[in-house]
Amino acid sequence: MDIENKEWFKNTFVKSKEGVVKFTRISRLRIEIASIKKKADERFESLGKKAFQLMKDNEINHDFLLDDYKSLEKLDGKLAELENQIEELKKREEEAFTSSFQGDNEFIKTDSNRDLSDKDTTKEDVSENKTEDNGEEKDKSDTK
């Protein structure tokens, strides 16, 4: 490698390094800015909620806040209405579900509620009962 190429490579490397350092510093600053903006937005939200509550409690009354206050009141009312609709639907679903079982007196026998008059099968009896499936024996206790 000749001297000109070495100098070019060295200069390119230095400039690249400086570019990376500059990019890193800018990125850190942008992250810090984003963090500060997020905190400011949270504070503005908190301030807005406090101002809303003060207007609701008639502790402050400013005309320039009135339009926003009325809009928020309407939105709160709409939210409450929608939440009530959800609760009503849940209640109706639950009532329909429970009413579908009323009058249904059919008793389904399961292992947990079978009639005592059934043959009392022990675990040993179940494991001895085998069925054939395509020429292979299977244990009935494995097919639960």
Side-chain angles (χ1 to χ4, degrees):
M1 214 186 255
D2 62 359
I3 294 176
E4 288 179 15
N5 285 338
K6 285 182 184 180
E7 280 299 314
W8 176 84
F9 183 72
K10 182 179 176 183
N11 288 337
T12 303
F13 178 75
V14 169
K15 286 180 183 179
S16 297
K17 181 180 172 185
E18 289 171 357
V20 169
V21 169
K22 180 181 171 184
F23 176 77
T24 302
R25 286 181 184 158
I26 291 171
S27 294
R28 284 185 195 153
L29 291 172
R30 285 185 176 155
I31 290 170
E32 189 174 347
I33 289 169
S35 175
I36 290 170
K37 283 183 177 181
K38 182 180 179 199
K39 287 177 184 177
D41 287 343
E42 289 171 356
R43 299 310 312 161
F44 275 121
E45 182 180 348
S46 175
L47 179 65
K49 286 179 181 181
K50 289 174 185 175
F52 177 81
Q53 189 60 46
L54 288 171
M55 287 194 75
K56 191 173 189 174
D57 296 340
N58 291 321
E59 292 187 33
I60 61 171
N61 188 8
H62 292 283
D63 290 338
F64 67 92
L65 296 175
L66 196 55
D67 288 340
D68 291 325
Y69 175 77
K70 287 180 179 179
S71 289
L72 287 170
E73 280 286 301
K74 287 179 184 177
L75 292 171
D76 278 348
K78 187 67 175 173
L79 285 172
E81 181 183 316
L82 293 172
E83 288 171 353
N84 285 338
Q85 287 179 11
I86 288 172
E87 291 304 316
E88 288 176 20
L89 287 172
K90 285 181 179 178
K91 187 176 179 180
R92 281 191 226 146
E93 273 186 27
E94 188 175 305
E95 288 172 355
F97 181 76
T98 54
S99 69
S100 68
F101 289 106
Q102 291 176 349
D104 189 9
N105 295 327
E106 184 178 326
F107 183 78
I108 301 171
K109 290 185 181 181
T110 63
D111 286 341
S112 62
N113 66 3
R114 67 181 170 190
D115 195 17
L116 293 176
S117 65
D118 287 350
K119 180 183 171 191
D120 190 26
T121 308
T122 62
K123 201 171 196 174
E124 294 167 1
D125 293 337
V126 171
S127 64
E128 289 177 5
N129 291 330
K130 308 247 181 188
T131 60
E132 284 190 28
D133 186 26
N134 297 331
E136 298 178 13
E137 287 189 357
K138 276 193 170 177
D139 189 349
K140 280 187 179 178
S141 62
D142 290 341
T143 60
K144 285 188 179 178

